[in-house]
Amino acid sequence: MVDFSRRQLMATSVAASVGASVAGGVVSGEEEDTDTDNAPSVDGEIKRFASTALGAEVTGPFVLPGGTLLFSLQHPSRENPEPFNSGGIGYVQGYQFEDGSDFEELDVPNTNEEKGRVRVGEGEYTLLARENDNLGNGEDLGMPTTPDGLEVDEFAGSRYTDLGYNPDMNQFIPTNDEGTEGLLFTNFESSPGNVTRMPISRDDDGTWSADLENTINLSNTEELRSLGGTRINCYGDVSPWDTPLSAEEEYAHTRTSLTSTVSDIVEDGTGVGHRGGAQFWNRPNPSEIQSAIDEYYGDDSWSVQGFWALGGLELLAYYLGADRVDQAGGYTENTTTPIADNYPNPYRTGYIVDFREPDAETPKPVKYHVFGRAAWECPDVQSDEKTVYLSSDGSNKGFYKFVADEPIPSYDDPMDVKGTLYAAKVTNKEAAAKKPPAEAELELEWLAMSRASNAEVAEWIAEYDDVSQVDYLETHADTDWQEDLEAALEEADKEVAENGNQNYITDEEIKEWGELWSEDPESTVADRGRDDLRKVPFLETRAAAKEIGATVEFRKSEGIDSIEDAEPGDYVYVGISEVNDGMSDDAGDLRTERVDGGLVYRGKLEDDYNISTLEPVIVGPDATDPADVADDALVNVDNIYVMDDGRVLCCEDADQFGRSYKNDCMYVYTPPELKDDGGDDESEETTENGGHGNGNGNGNGNNGNGNNGNGNNGN
């Protein structure tokens, strides 16, 4: 995932430029932290297979039929030598991951030449396509356009990131029986978001090639634009019914900041100190809200969680066809003139997107609104075709499950998919708090939040389609914005901060839904005459989960995956990039010791495909562990991919801590049961080292010119 965030709780602050990661003071080295036992450690074995170019994450792992590994080169430093200075999609030529295959472990990058390129333990990394490659229809790879064909990059306005610079997910749909030809679907993590479909094929000598002439940006199809487009497309999966699933990592969904709840706002009588970025969605120049809050409230200012992810919203509006009123000087300057038409509906982004009929001239995108709305890193759909696990990235986030009434592909129309959305609650907080993270299993109870069909949720979403930036001013300010825009904007900002954004679901609706749920969790709110409140957990998923006591404390819940056709007894793996913030404070259900290098959990599927326990299998280093410890440990795991033989590819998006190098790596994890069955026993089975965490958060971010910064994440 791309993590362009900024955290601060300082009395005053200077707003970070959108797309940059700037260190702040929430979870930082200012805190005293002792060594965490068994950090790092591995139950099984990890071996480094690849290191990526400086500045880049390792994203989008996928093993093609025959064993060829694909992965993306995401936001590399512009200072790297060609071709490793631009975003790209590549594969490992000359090596195949086969059942139990071994490889020579890659050493750490030492020289500038090694640090500036992608290296692999076996074979050679070869790029298939790069940022700005021209496609047959005249578009550039990964670049969204307006309905009349103008590249969105031409507009002035805040950026989430450079468009086309952040390829992430790669999912391959074969088009022949041998799997030597097929369609590669790649996410681009930006706003507007994008998914490309690229035909690729394997030659007799084992080399793969891309057909750029017939590659398309799906964002620029009417089918996807009619759904409101996408934002921040991160990782994904191939469904059991053989379609690509793309996850929208909508960080700006955060209605309340960090640990705050809607009930806290009601109890305090004001949202000051509590509001998150989502409440300022339709503000003119929304990504500037943190600067405004700092100016308005001074010493009482707070970190508006997710505000930075409002960057790119106005570009999304132009992508959807908004009149170009927010431009000056030939699209060179952004102003605060409000956009009055085609402004994005917040409730249309933050979902799992299924591209049905992937080999049609234009695939048919479907958004699964019933899965809930969040900063989804990835879905993991089980082989029962009904159960879906979902991980949400950022600080103080939940862990979710959706269970359909019937197998999802059995519905003639995917809008008829109906089922129950659940949020996880950790029930053994006392036991978990007494052990280091390497020894602390988490016991889960699943709280049923609500039931609906995809079509029902779509109808609720449509109620908010006509809300614009003009509405933000006219609803929340007494001053006529056309007479004094600056005064009206300040009035509106303060009104929203204090009493909430009245253009969307209100605090009162969320609180009332939570109270009705708490009175009788087994009954639906519809049974008590409030069918109108059923929309709350689907459109305001995180806020609703907080209201009913779910564990909304997970820190950067990243990749999630299980073996293809997983059955009861198999494992679902979940990466937690950092164990700090809500996971390691002294409140709530999670009060573990800090491990800023993160960890990997796994949960065993039960007979009904339920998971009731998460056990740690890989633990990263503490933040101040020296190079001889940190160099060979998994740091800040991101994407996870379970191969057919049960081994797990673990990709990093790392704050490198004490490492001797700054490159992110990919490791191959061999679970203990595979080693016991005759796997490679040459390496030590478990590594245990002490360390000291200084709390520097993960945050590889791009500031729009290729430079990457490390900082704490308030996403």
Side-chain angles (χ1 to χ4, degrees):
M1 57 124 258
V2 173
D3 206 348
F4 303 141
S5 63
R6 176 251 210 201
R7 289 285 300 279
Q8 58 83 40
L9 284 180
M10 298 176 287
T12 59
S13 67
V14 178
S17 59
V18 173
S21 225
V22 179
V26 176
V27 193
S28 71
E30 298 169 7
E31 293 186 12
E32 290 295 328
D33 193 15
T34 57
D35 291 353
T36 301
D37 290 341
N38 299 327
S41 62
V42 180
D43 184 10
E45 173 191 88
I46 60 170
K47 292 177 66 176
R48 186 187 304 104
F49 180 77
S51 65
T52 193
L54 276 173
E57 302 176 36
V58 184
T59 59
F62 189 91
V63 178
L64 294 163
T68 297
L69 171 64
L70 282 164
F71 61 95
S72 297
L73 178 63
Q74 187 183 84
H75 63 70
S77 169
R78 299 299 194 191
E79 303 301 317
N80 293 336
E82 289 272 357
F84 303 112
N85 60 349
S86 59
I89 305 157
Y91 74 101
V92 178
Q93 183 175 350
Y95 177 77
Q96 281 72 46
F97 276 100
E98 299 170 342
D99 191 7
S101 60
D102 198 11
F103 58 89
E104 188 72 24
E105 183 170 23
L106 184 71
D107 59 359
V108 303
N110 290 305
T111 66
N112 288 337
E113 188 274 335
E114 290 177 336
K115 294 175 182 178
R117 63 184 177 91
V118 179
R119 304 161 62 239
V120 291
E122 301 282 352
E124 180 179 359
Y125 184 75
T126 302
L127 285 163
L128 286 167
R130 295 176 61 192
E131 167 188 8
N132 294 325
D133 276 350
N134 191 254
L135 309 182
N137 60 5
E139 297 175 359
D140 289 342
L141 182 72
M143 179 62 68
T145 67
T146 65
D148 55 4
L150 182 64
E151 290 188 349
V152 175
D153 206 34
E154 295 293 321
F155 290 87
S158 63
R159 262 48 175 177
Y160 180 84
T161 178
D162 287 353
L163 295 165
Y165 185 43
N166 296 284
D168 199 311
M169 172 199 88
N170 295 295
Q171 301 295 337
F172 178 77
I173 307 298
T175 54
N176 66 0
D177 292 339
E178 297 78 17
T180 57
E181 296 179 358
L183 300 169
L184 180 64
F185 289 77
T186 301
N187 280 348
F188 284 80
E189 203 171 334
S190 60
S191 177
N194 199 356
V195 182
T196 59
R197 187 184 70 179
M198 179 189 304
I200 63 173
S201 58
R202 189 179 74 200
D203 298 332
D204 291 339
D205 62 0
T207 61
W208 287 83
S209 58
D211 178 6
L212 292 175
E213 182 70 19
N214 291 297
T215 296
I216 57 175
N217 292 309
L218 295 175
S219 64
N220 300 333
T221 63
E222 180 56 32
E223 285 81 357
L224 197 54
R225 203 186 305 269
S226 68
L227 296 181
T230 60
R231 262 178 46 94
I232 318 176
N233 299 77
C234 191
Y235 196 31
D237 202 1
V238 172
S239 72
W241 47 95
D242 297 323
T243 60
L245 302 174
S246 173
E248 292 184 279
E249 198 171 43
E250 179 55 275
Y251 287 118
H253 76 285
T254 47
R255 183 188 185 92
T256 58
S257 289
L258 301 174
T259 60
S260 294
T261 67
V262 170
S263 290
D264 291 335
I265 293 172
V266 174
E267 182 176 340
D268 288 357
T270 178
V272 171
H274 300 293
R275 297 285 177 206
Q279 290 281 271
F280 303 95
W281 179 276
N282 60 329
R283 177 193 195 267
N285 274 357
S287 61
E288 293 298 314
I289 187 58
Q290 183 68 65
S291 297
I293 291 294
D294 291 343
E295 180 181 346
Y296 302 151
Y297 295 100
D299 290 346
D300 293 325
S301 175
W302 69 99
S303 177
V304 180
Q305 186 177 5
F307 83 92
W308 54 274
L310 298 170
L313 272 183
E314 289 164 323
L315 298 186
L316 181 61
Y318 297 130
Y319 158 85
L320 294 173
D323 290 336
R324 300 161 194 172
V325 297
D326 196 24
Q327 303 287 306
Y331 306 149
T332 61
E333 179 184 350
N334 199 42
T335 73
T336 52
T337 304
I339 297 173
D341 67 327
N342 286 305
Y343 195 74
N345 178 344
Y347 300 131
R348 287 202 175 277
T349 58
Y351 300 102
I352 303 302
V353 189
D354 187 356
F355 287 93
R356 296 290 184 101
E357 302 179 36
D359 59 349
E361 181 176 356
T362 303
K364 309 302 180 187
V366 176
K367 289 197 176 187
Y368 290 120
H369 308 300
V370 283
F371 292 4
R373 177 173 173 266
W376 298 130
E377 177 77 21
C378 187
D380 188 35
V381 185
Q382 300 308 307
S383 59
D384 66 350
E385 300 184 334
K386 295 165 48 176
T387 305
V388 186
Y389 290 98
L390 301 130
S391 61
S392 182
D393 198 356
S395 291
N396 294 86
K397 299 295 177 67
F399 184 37
Y400 301 95
K401 176 176 72 169
F402 174 79
V403 181
D405 292 351
E406 303 293 337
I408 292 173
S410 71
Y411 292 88
D412 292 336
D413 184 344
M415 296 307 293
D416 293 334
V417 172
K418 187 174 184 178
T420 303
L421 178 64
Y422 297 84
K425 181 176 179 61
V426 174
T427 59
N428 64 328
K429 67 179 181 181
E430 300 299 333
K434 294 178 181 178
K435 299 178 181 179
E439 301 173 12
E441 295 184 348
L442 303 181
E443 302 296 332
L444 304 180
E445 174 188 357
W446 292 97
L447 307 182
M449 298 175 72
S450 191
R451 287 175 46 76
S453 72
N454 213 28
E456 286 178 303
V457 185
E459 290 179 2
W460 296 325
I461 290 169
E463 296 172 8
Y464 303 92
D465 274 346
D466 296 326
V467 177
S468 71
Q469 289 186 330
V470 170
D471 291 309
Y472 182 88
L473 298 170
E474 295 187 346
T475 301
H476 303 106
D478 291 329
T479 298
D480 186 336
W481 65 270
Q482 293 176 309
E483 295 182 1
D484 190 340
L485 178 56
E486 186 175 344
L489 186 59
E490 180 173 348
E491 288 177 17
D493 288 345
K494 290 180 177 178
E495 174 64 20
V496 170
E498 293 165 17
N499 298 311
N501 191 324
Q502 302 304 305
N503 298 142
Y504 303 116
I505 291 174
T506 64
D507 294 341
E508 291 74 20
E509 288 175 294
I510 294 173
K511 187 172 185 295
E512 185 172 3
W513 173 84
E515 290 172 345
L516 290 173
W517 186 96
S518 298
E519 290 173 7
D520 184 6
E522 297 301 318
S523 175
T524 68
V525 293
D527 294 338
R528 281 161 284 164
R530 292 307 307 270
D531 188 70
D532 59 308
L533 295 180
R534 282 199 299 134
K535 63 186 176 184
V536 168
F538 297 103
L539 276 58
E540 295 280 1
T541 305
R542 177 175 177 263
K546 284 184 173 187
E547 286 299 297
I548 63 174
T551 304
V552 186
E553 301 169 55
F554 289 96
R555 170 67 168 132
K556 293 180 62 60
S557 181
E558 300 275 3
I560 179 170
D561 198 26
S562 55
I563 196 169
E564 186 177 0
D565 298 325
E567 297 178 347
D570 290 326
Y571 292 98
V572 174
Y573 288 84
V574 182
I576 303 291
S577 190
E578 302 175 24
V579 180
N580 50 40
D581 272 22
M583 292 189 73
S584 61
D585 58 16
D586 58 0
D589 299 330
L590 293 174
R591 307 181 186 189
T592 67
E593 293 182 70
R594 295 165 60 98
V595 179
D596 294 293
L599 56 75
V600 177
Y601 287 113
R602 68 178 184 179
K604 182 177 288 188
L605 290 169
E606 298 163 2
D607 288 343
D608 56 356
Y609 291 87
N610 185 53
I611 294 172
S612 59
T613 304
L614 293 176
E615 61 170 327
V617 290
I618 307 175
V619 179
D622 285 318
T624 55
D625 280 341
D628 61 346
V629 173
D631 273 3
D632 295 313
L634 178 67
V635 179
N636 299 138
V637 64
D638 196 315
N639 291 173
I640 284 176
Y641 180 90
V642 182
M643 296 189 288
D644 289 345
D645 62 4
R647 292 181 295 168
V648 185
L649 299 177
C650 298
C651 303
E652 292 181 326
D653 172 18
D655 187 343
Q656 288 78 17
F657 302 136
R659 280 183 172 176
S660 65
Y661 58 94
K662 294 184 178 181
N663 304 72
D664 289 345
C665 298
M666 176 191 289
Y667 288 87
V668 177
Y669 168 63
T670 303
E673 60 270 14
L674 294 184
K675 287 181 61 62
D676 293 343
D677 289 340
D680 178 13
D681 293 321
E682 293 181 4
S683 299
E684 294 182 10
E685 183 166 337
T686 302
T687 302
E688 296 184 3
N689 290 287
H692 178 78
N694 68 8
N696 292 325
N698 172 320
N700 284 334
N702 167 248
N703 65 10
N705 62 9
N707 296 321
N708 289 279
N710 295 320
N712 288 314
N713 302 318
N715 31 26

